[in-house]
Coordinates of all heavy atoms in Angstrom, one line a residue:
Chain I
D526 N 6.1 -231.0 7.1 CA 6.6 -232.3 7.4 C 6.6 -233.1 6.0 O 5.5 -233.4 5.6 CB 5.8 -233.1 8.4 CG 6.6 -234.3 9.1 OD1 7.5 -234.8 8.2 OD2 6.2 -234.7 10.1
L527 N 7.7 -233.4 5.3 CA 7.8 -233.9 4.1 C 8.7 -235.1 4.0 O 9.7 -235.0 4.6 CB 8.2 -232.8 3.1 CG 7.6 -231.7 2.6 CD1 8.7 -231.0 1.9 CD2 6.6 -232.1 1.5
R528 N 8.5 -236.1 3.0 CA 9.4 -236.9 2.7 C 9.6 -236.9 1.1 O 8.7 -236.9 0.5 CB 9.2 -238.5 3.1 CG 8.5 -238.7 4.5 CD 9.8 -238.6 5.4 NE 9.2 -238.1 6.7 CZ 8.6 -238.9 7.4 NH1 8.3 -240.2 7.3 NH2 8.1 -238.5 8.7
I529 N 10.9 -236.9 0.9 CA 11.2 -237.0 -0.6 C 12.1 -238.2 -0.8 O 13.1 -238.3 -0.1 CB 12.0 -235.8 -1.0 CG1 11.0 -234.5 -0.8 CG2 12.5 -235.8 -2.5 CD1 11.8 -233.3 -1.0
T530 N 11.6 -239.2 -1.8 CA 12.3 -240.4 -1.9 C 13.5 -240.3 -2.8 O 14.5 -241.1 -2.6 CB 11.4 -241.5 -2.5 OG1 10.8 -240.9 -3.7 CG2 10.2 -241.7 -1.5
V531 N 13.6 -239.4 -3.8 CA 14.7 -239.3 -4.7 C 15.4 -237.9 -4.3 O 14.9 -236.9 -4.4 CB 14.4 -239.4 -6.2 CG1 15.6 -239.3 -7.0 CG2 13.7 -240.8 -6.4
L554 N 14.0 -234.8 -12.5 CA 12.9 -235.5 -12.6 C 11.5 -234.5 -13.1 O 10.5 -235.0 -13.2 CB 12.5 -236.1 -11.3 CG 13.4 -237.0 -10.8 CD1 13.0 -237.5 -9.4 CD2 13.7 -238.3 -11.5
E555 N 11.9 -233.3 -13.3 CA 10.7 -232.3 -13.4 C 9.7 -232.4 -12.3 O 8.6 -232.2 -12.5 CB 10.2 -232.5 -14.7 CG 11.1 -232.3 -15.9 CD 10.3 -232.2 -17.3 OE1 9.1 -232.4 -17.3 OE2 11.1 -232.2 -18.3
Q556 N 10.3 -232.8 -11.1 CA 9.4 -233.0 -10.0 C 9.2 -231.7 -9.2 O 10.2 -231.2 -8.8 CB 9.9 -234.1 -9.2 CG 9.0 -234.6 -8.0 CD 9.8 -235.6 -7.1 OE1 10.9 -235.5 -6.9 NE2 9.1 -236.6 -6.6
H557 N 7.8 -231.4 -8.9 CA 7.7 -230.3 -8.0 C 7.8 -230.8 -6.5 O 7.4 -231.8 -6.1 CB 6.3 -229.9 -8.2 CG 5.8 -228.8 -7.1 ND1 5.0 -229.1 -6.1 CD2 6.1 -227.5 -6.9 CE1 4.7 -228.1 -5.3 NE2 5.4 -227.1 -5.8
L558 N 8.7 -230.0 -5.7 CA 8.9 -230.4 -4.3 C 8.0 -229.6 -3.3 O 7.4 -230.3 -2.5 CB 10.3 -230.1 -4.0 CG 11.5 -231.0 -4.9 CD1 12.9 -230.6 -4.7 CD2 11.1 -232.6 -4.6
Y592 N 6.8 -226.2 -16.7 CA 6.1 -226.7 -15.6 C 6.4 -225.9 -14.3 O 5.7 -226.1 -13.3 CB 6.5 -228.2 -15.4 CG 7.9 -228.4 -15.0 CD1 8.4 -228.1 -13.8 CD2 8.7 -228.8 -16.0 CE1 9.9 -228.4 -13.5 CE2 10.2 -229.1 -15.8 CZ 10.5 -228.8 -14.4 OH 11.9 -229.0 -14.2
I595 N 3.2 -223.1 -13.6 CA 1.7 -223.4 -13.9 C 0.9 -222.7 -13.1 O 1.1 -222.7 -11.8 CB 1.5 -225.1 -13.7 CG1 2.4 -225.9 -14.6 CG2 0.0 -225.3 -14.0 CD1 2.3 -227.3 -14.4
Chain U
H74 N -7.7 -226.0 -15.6 CA -6.7 -226.7 -16.2 C -7.3 -227.5 -17.4 O -6.5 -228.2 -18.2 CB -5.8 -227.6 -15.4 CG -5.0 -226.9 -14.3 ND1 -4.0 -226.2 -14.7 CD2 -5.2 -226.7 -12.9 CE1 -3.4 -225.7 -13.6 NE2 -4.2 -225.9 -12.5
Q215 N 9.4 -243.2 -15.6 CA 9.6 -242.6 -14.4 C 8.3 -242.1 -13.9 O 7.4 -241.6 -14.6 CB 10.5 -241.4 -14.5 CG 10.9 -240.8 -13.2 CD 11.8 -239.7 -13.6 OE1 13.1 -239.9 -13.7 NE2 11.3 -238.4 -13.7
D217 N 6.1 -240.0 -10.8 CA 6.2 -238.8 -9.8 C 4.9 -238.7 -9.0 O 3.9 -238.3 -9.4 CB 6.3 -237.4 -10.6 CG 6.5 -236.3 -9.7 OD1 6.6 -236.4 -8.6 OD2 6.6 -235.1 -10.3
D237 N 4.8 -245.2 5.8 CA 6.3 -245.3 5.8 C 6.8 -246.5 5.1 O 7.9 -246.4 4.6 CB 6.7 -245.3 7.4 CG 6.5 -244.1 8.2 OD1 6.6 -243.0 7.6 OD2 6.3 -244.1 9.4
K247 N 14.4 -245.7 -5.8 CA 14.5 -244.5 -6.4 C 13.2 -244.1 -7.3 O 13.3 -243.6 -8.3 CB 15.7 -244.3 -7.2 CG 17.1 -244.6 -6.6 CD 17.6 -243.2 -6.2 CE 18.9 -243.4 -5.4 NZ 18.9 -243.9 -4.0
I248 N 12.1 -244.4 -6.6 CA 10.9 -243.9 -7.3 C 10.4 -242.6 -6.7 O 10.2 -242.4 -5.5 CB 9.7 -245.0 -7.0 CG1 10.1 -246.4 -7.6 CG2 8.4 -244.5 -7.5 CD1 9.0 -247.4 -7.3
P249 N 10.4 -241.6 -7.5 CA 10.1 -240.2 -7.0 C 8.8 -240.0 -6.2 O 7.7 -240.3 -6.9 CB 10.2 -239.2 -8.1 CG 11.0 -240.0 -9.2 CD 10.6 -241.4 -9.0
V250 N 8.8 -239.7 -4.9 CA 7.6 -239.5 -4.2 C 7.8 -238.2 -3.5 O 8.9 -237.9 -3.0 CB 7.4 -240.7 -3.2 CG1 6.2 -240.3 -2.3 CG2 7.1 -242.0 -3.9
V251 N 6.7 -237.4 -3.5 CA 6.8 -236.3 -2.5 C 5.6 -236.6 -1.5 O 4.5 -236.6 -1.8 CB 6.6 -234.9 -3.1 CG1 6.4 -233.8 -2.0 CG2 7.8 -234.6 -4.0
F252 N 5.9 -236.9 -0.2 CA 4.9 -237.3 0.7 C 4.8 -236.2 1.7 O 5.8 -235.7 2.2 CB 5.4 -238.6 1.4 CG 4.5 -239.0 2.6 CD1 3.3 -239.7 2.4 CD2 4.7 -238.6 3.9 CE1 2.6 -240.0 3.5 CE2 4.1 -239.0 5.1 CZ 3.0 -239.7 4.7
R253 N 3.5 -235.7 1.9 CA 3.3 -234.4 2.8 C 2.5 -234.8 4.0 O 1.4 -235.3 3.8 CB 2.8 -233.3 2.1 CG 3.5 -233.1 0.6 CD 3.1 -231.7 -0.1 NE 1.6 -231.6 -0.3 CZ 1.2 -230.5 -1.0 NH1 2.0 -229.6 -1.5 NH2 -0.2 -230.5 -1.2
L254 N 2.9 -234.6 5.2 CA 2.3 -234.8 6.4 C 1.6 -233.5 6.8 O 2.3 -232.7 7.2 CB 3.2 -235.4 7.4 CG 2.6 -236.2 8.6 CD1 1.8 -237.5 8.1 CD2 3.8 -236.7 9.6
K278 N 0.3 -230.7 -14.8 CA 1.7 -230.5 -15.2 C 1.9 -231.7 -16.3 O 2.6 -231.4 -17.2 CB 2.5 -230.6 -14.0 CG 4.1 -230.5 -14.4 CD 4.8 -230.3 -13.2 CE 5.6 -231.5 -12.9 NZ 6.4 -231.4 -11.6
Y279 N 1.5 -232.9 -16.0 CA 1.8 -234.0 -16.9 C 0.8 -234.1 -18.0 O 1.2 -234.5 -19.1 CB 2.0 -235.2 -16.1 CG 3.1 -235.1 -15.1 CD1 3.0 -234.9 -13.8 CD2 4.5 -235.3 -15.6 CE1 4.1 -234.7 -12.9 CE2 5.5 -235.3 -14.8 CZ 5.4 -234.9 -13.5 OH 6.4 -234.8 -12.5

Side-chain angles (χ1 to χ4, degrees):
Chain I
D526 195 337
L527 286 165
R528 306 291 149 76
I529 295 175
T530 55
V531 177
L554 303 175
E555 297 190 4
Q556 181 190 38
H557 170 256
L558 300 173
Y592 60 81
I595 298 179
Chain U
H74 295 286
Q215 188 176 278
D217 178 3
D237 288 335
K247 303 266 180 283
I248 297 177
V250 173
V251 174
F252 172 84
R253 312 191 302 185
L254 198 60
K278 180 169 112 188
Y279 295 101

